[in-house]
């Protein structure tokens, strides 16, 4: 059972629509949900402000990946016994500080408890009707671009909202690099029914290796394809081929990025 | 025939709303999130279809409590190692069956894993502008009503969507009974700055005790206040007094309902 096999099955069920992109597109409204779970996405030792920041950053990055403007968020938060009041306040403080930066209002949520801190962030934003970026539009001949340096795993990643908005009407496909370039580019190519060739130097973050630039998740940079450059760094080209196949300087690239339901879970 | 007469006639037709102002006033959107966590909200032994049904029912009930029409849902789902493919499919099947009943589409979500199954359901709906029911409008002299029998803890609770919609423009305050009458009525009274007297027989579910009708959560019936009955059973009256004070046949009623952060956690 992989995330993909669940999604493939789910798509065939009744009353299911448009699943699999970073956000659901409801007319011009975008809604995204992202979980942030102790021991999976963060460790207890991380400062609470950083946890709150990162929980919201995940959702904002999904809105950025669709070229959207974030507006509201809701937070479902299950606290564990070890969470004191200071931790809870710190978590909200970190989240609200980032929210303020993007003029996003926290408008609701749910409070519960569990044996691991579990947050689920809902972000609501919008894009002009028909302008939301999707991952299924890459065309043979498009360039492949990333918005910034890869593999750095920043502690406080900056959601690429402005970059995403600039791509409206210019990018043929876009997504955020939450699970690593090798896996995310594969997904973009599968969704678009194309293959990809990476044949230009990757912008590697200071201190990171090429392996990390290729496979480390949580970059939160944007990956996009376009007939013409619209910002960032070109790394390759969309080509005809087996959907989802990615070549890296002449060799097939294994998708080692993060999948919650594969054997690398917990990496 | 005058403009006014045309408008007057038009306003009475079905599918016409808010006509005649200088601008159209659009609906208010309602968004709710609700967590559904293994060992807190359900046990592993519960059939997966029932789990999926109940996860969505919680969200639908919140929309009902606001007098809303549910339209879309998103599901964040963290699976545990013990979940096989059959369980996952059963969960979605139960959720989608209930979704179909209310013409609600599943449009997105997030998949992750944790050591306990953790679901967070987002439901998006709407109500005509200014008509969403809130919990802060109860007035001294209003009757207190419930939509059905209490204390039964139904396995597959029916979200009271139709009942909630009927209350638009009639109820002064409304909420759903997810945490038990004693606690939820206290919350409604606190929000409204009033007190309450319960002095009429409670509609007790078959097999339930009065204690259960007063304090058991997960009824998912609606609790509302109104100057005139608009359905359901009257149980008392809103009175002047310390905000949040509830009296039950002459005695102060302790709020024993479920609160995730009090000492009764895990009850």
């Amino acid at each position: 059972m992989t995330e993909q096999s669940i999604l493939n099955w789910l798509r065939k069920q009744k009353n299911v629509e448009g699943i699999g992109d970073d956000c659901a597109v409801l007319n011009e409204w975008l809604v995204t949900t992202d979980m942030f779970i102790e021991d999976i996405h963060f460790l207890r030792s991380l400062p609470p402000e950083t946890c709150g920041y990162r929980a919201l950053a995940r959702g904002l990055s999904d809105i950025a990946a669709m070229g959207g403007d974030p507006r509201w968020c809701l937070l479902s938060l299950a606290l564990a016994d070890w969470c004191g009041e200071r931790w809870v306040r710190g978590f909200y403080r970190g989240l609200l500080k980032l929210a303020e930066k993007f003029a996003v209002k926290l408008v609701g949520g749910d409070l519960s408890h569990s044996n691991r801190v579990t947050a689920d962030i809902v972000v609501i934003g919008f894009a002009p009707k028909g302008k939301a970026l999707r991952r299924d539009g890459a065309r043979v001949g498009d360039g492949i671009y990333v918005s910034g340096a890869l593999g750095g795993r920043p502690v406080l990643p900056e959601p690429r909202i402005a970059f995403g908005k600039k791509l409206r009407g210019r990018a043929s496909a876009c997504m955020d690099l939450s699970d690593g370039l090798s896996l995310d580019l594969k997904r973009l190519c599968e969704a678009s029914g194309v293959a990809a060739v990476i044949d230009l130097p990757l912008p590697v973050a200071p201190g990171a290796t090429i392996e990390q630039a290729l496979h480390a998740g949580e970059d939160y940079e944007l990956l996009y394809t376009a007939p013409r450059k619209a910002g960032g760094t070109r790394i390759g080209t969309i080509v005809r081929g087996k959907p989802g196949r990615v070549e890296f300087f002449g060799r097939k690239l294994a998708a080692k990025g993060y999948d919650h339901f594969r054997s690398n879970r917990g990496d």
Side-chain angles (χ1 to χ4, degrees), chain A:
Chain A
M1 186 169 67
T2 65
E3 187 173 337
Q4 204 54 49
S5 74
I6 296 174
L7 289 178
N8 286 342
W9 170 81
L10 196 51
R11 272 200 204 92
K12 292 175 200 147
Q13 308 309 304
K14 262 172 41 171
N15 292 307
V16 173
E17 266 177 14
I19 280 208
D21 280 303
D22 286 303
C23 302
V25 179
L26 304 176
N27 299 321
E28 67 270 53
W29 292 96
L30 307 172
V31 187
T32 176
T33 67
D34 275 284
M35 301 193 96
F36 188 70
I37 304 175
E38 182 184 348
D39 292 343
I40 305 289
H41 302 98
F42 73 100
L43 297 175
R44 202 182 289 193
S45 54
L46 198 68
E49 288 80 4
T50 306
C51 292
Y53 180 104
R54 289 181 69 95
L56 178 57
R58 287 169 63 81
L60 290 179
S61 180
D62 280 337
I63 297 288
M66 307 283 286
D69 256 311
R71 276 295 177 268
W72 298 281
C73 66
L74 296 92
L75 177 72
S76 282
L77 182 60
L79 296 168
D81 282 333
W82 62 264
C83 300
E85 196 173 325
R86 244 189 62 182
W87 192 91
V88 176
R89 291 187 182 203
F91 184 95
Y92 277 104
R93 211 178 291 125
L95 186 150
L96 291 173
K97 206 174 153 185
L98 179 61
E100 189 176 9
K101 194 166 175 179
F102 290 96
V104 168
K105 302 280 180 204
L106 177 68
V107 294
D110 189 26
L111 281 170
S112 188
H113 64 97
S114 188
N115 61 344
R116 288 182 180 178
V117 172
T118 305
D120 189 39
I121 187 81
V122 180
V123 183
I124 302 174
F126 63 82
K129 178 109 178 171
K131 295 281 190 221
L133 305 172
R134 291 157 186 275
R135 56 174 75 172
D136 62 0
R139 300 281 194 86
V140 172
D142 283 349
I144 304 170
Y145 304 86
V146 292
S147 60
L150 307 181
R153 291 194 154 173
V155 176
L156 299 174
E158 173 85 14
R160 300 296 182 206
I161 298 291
F163 196 100
K165 285 166 67 175
K166 268 200 331 200
L167 296 180
R168 289 179 190 162
R170 304 165 109 190
S172 52
C174 185
M175 64 189 294
D176 70 328
L177 288 171
S178 51
D179 294 332
L181 175 65
S182 61
L183 180 56
D184 285 331
L185 179 54
K186 178 176 187 278
R187 288 170 174 162
L188 185 150
C189 286
E190 279 174 350
S192 300
V194 295
V197 164
I198 301 176
D199 54 3
L200 291 166
L202 296 184
V204 180
T209 65
I210 293 223
E211 280 294 301
Q212 286 169 331
L214 281 171
H215 306 301
E218 308 199 333
D219 278 328
Y220 298 114
E221 295 294 346
L222 298 186
L223 167 71
Y224 76 93
T225 60
R228 268 175 304 281
K229 182 169 171 172
T233 306
R234 181 163 182 170
I235 61 169
T237 304
I238 294 294
V239 297
R240 214 175 302 275
K242 186 172 170 239
R245 185 188 159 93
V246 178
E247 214 174 77
F248 182 68
F249 288 97
R251 291 195 180 176
K252 184 173 185 246
L253 181 66
K256 290 193 204 149
Y258 188 77
D259 184 314
H260 279 292
F261 300 100
R262 290 197 323 185
S263 53
N264 67 352
R265 62 165 63 171
D267 278 6

